[in-house]
Amino acid sequence: QVHLVESGGGLVRPGESLTLSCTASENDAGAMGWYRQAPGKQRERVASITHAGLRNYADSMKGRVTISTNNAKNMVWLQINSLKPEDSAVYYCAAGPSMFAVVTGTGIVWGQGTQVTVSS
C-alpha cells in the first residue's frame, strides 16, 4: 500500500502564499489530491490530479489553488494563494486508483496531514 508524507504546512499571515508537498512511496496511483479539515468541520476536497495531468478543483478554493505533479508521478504539490484565516486546517494528501476515487474519497490512501494556520 502506498505511503504518503505531506510537508510544507505552518503559520502564515493572511494574504500570503504557501506550497504543500506530498511524496508517495510508490508511483502507481491513478490520481492524487488534497483535502482539508478544519476543527469541527468535515474533511473536504480541495483539488485532485491524474497521472495524465487532468486537474479538478473544488469550488471552495478554486482560483486560489494550483495542484501539480512531477514526471515521476510520485509527488504532488498544492500552491495556495491569498490565504485567509478560514483556510486554517489540516491538509491531507490522498492517492487512489482514479480521479473518481480521489474526488469521492472512496478507496483511497491518506497521508498523516500537515497543519496550515493563517493568522496575523
Side-chain angles (χ1 to χ4, degrees):
Q1 180 172 327
V2 64
H3 181 61
L4 305 174
V5 178
E6 302 99 331
S7 62
L11 174 64
V12 295
R13 298 183 186 276
E16 292 184 341
S17 298
L18 191 69
T19 299
L20 306 178
S21 301
C22 174
T23 301
S25 58
E26 301 171 12
N27 65 348
D28 57 356
M32 297 180 71
W34 289 92
Y35 280 69
R36 68 178 182 176
Q37 187 168 19
K41 294 187 177 181
Q42 288 189 331
R43 191 173 299 189
E44 64 172 356
R45 188 181 65 91
V46 176
S48 46
I49 187 169
T50 67
H51 267 193
L54 177 66
R55 295 170 172 82
N56 186 279
Y57 295 101
D59 290 340
S60 60
M61 298 185 75
K62 187 180 292 184
R64 295 195 295 122
V65 295
T66 301
I67 189 170
S68 58
T69 187
N70 62 340
N71 289 334
K73 310 303 180 185
N74 69 330
M75 293 191 69
V76 63
W77 295 271
L78 184 72
Q79 179 178 342
I80 312 172
N81 299 318
S82 302
L83 279 155
K84 307 173 183 179
E86 51 264 41
D87 293 324
S88 297
V90 178
Y91 285 72
Y92 296 91
C93 181
S98 65
M99 176 68 86
F100 177 82
V102 175
V103 168
T104 60
T106 55
I108 60 177
V109 176
W110 298 99
Q112 82 287 351
T114 185
Q115 176 71 48
V116 173
T117 302
V118 185
S119 175
S120 56

